[in-house]
Amino acid sequence: MNVDVTPLPGIGVRKEIELRDGRRIGVISHRDGRTALILSRADDPDACVAELPLTNEEAGALANLLGAPQLVNQLNDEHKDLPGITTRRLPVKSHSPYDGRPLGDSALRTRTQVSVVAVMRAGQVHPSPTPDFVLAGGDVLIAVGLNEKLDQAADVLARG
């Protein structure tokens, strides 16, 4: 799928894709750091039906919602022949004891035998995070392990 990038002089940059019904959905990244989600009309791709301003935290959460499922599905496909192994998204909530702390402080692998293979943050994938990778509220950890161990890992992230 092609992403069209359009400079908007004095405003910022518009990045969008065309949906199958002809409408376009995208993001305007303003020069001052603001972000807006936009949706165009089907009959006029330059006419905006809706513009939703997003905070940086909201934009990051939306990016994680959209990006993490594809990554999880890809990883599940790659280890579908390994019985019992599952990939799951584990959120780091803003009130998590590990918000602002290095991944290594959680000792997830030691405590739960779960491997963190990536961290999704604000639409960016950080593959193979090291123990010194500092977690932030809104991050989504992509973890691999047995179902019961993944449940334990989610509990560790939520409660410590």
Side-chain angles (χ1 to χ4, degrees), residues 43-57:
D43 62 338
D44 183 357
D46 290 326
C48 218
V49 169
E51 181 173 343
L52 302 169
L54 300 172
T55 65
N56 286 340
E57 185 177 3

Side-chain angles (χ1 to χ4, degrees), residues 1-4 15-27 37-45 47 49-50 66 70:
M1 178 160 283
N2 291 328
V3 175
D4 294 325
K15 298 175 187 172
E16 58 189 353
I17 60 170
E18 184 173 342
L19 303 176
R20 67 178 160 260
D21 66 1
R23 293 180 299 165
R24 300 182 71 75
I25 188 166
V27 173
L37 182 65
I38 57 170
L39 179 66
S40 70
R41 291 184 5 203
D43 62 338
D44 183 357
V49 169
L66 295 172
Q70 285 86 358

Side-chain angles (χ1 to χ4, degrees), residues 115-135:
S115 295
V116 176
V117 297
V119 177
M120 295 282 302
R121 176 181 293 158
Q124 299 292 315
V125 177
H126 300 272
S128 303
T130 60
D132 62 342
F133 184 93
V134 177
L135 300 174

Side-chain angles (χ1 to χ4, degrees), residues 68-69 71-80 84-90 115 117 141-147 150:
L71 182 57
V72 169
N73 288 339
Q74 180 182 352
L75 290 170
N76 277 331
D77 284 347
E78 289 178 9
H79 62 254
K80 65 183 173 196
I85 300 297
T86 304
T87 301
R88 189 182 302 169
R89 296 178 291 159
L90 302 176
S115 295
V117 297
L141 306 185
I142 308 301
V144 176
L146 301 173
N147 274 325
L150 289 164

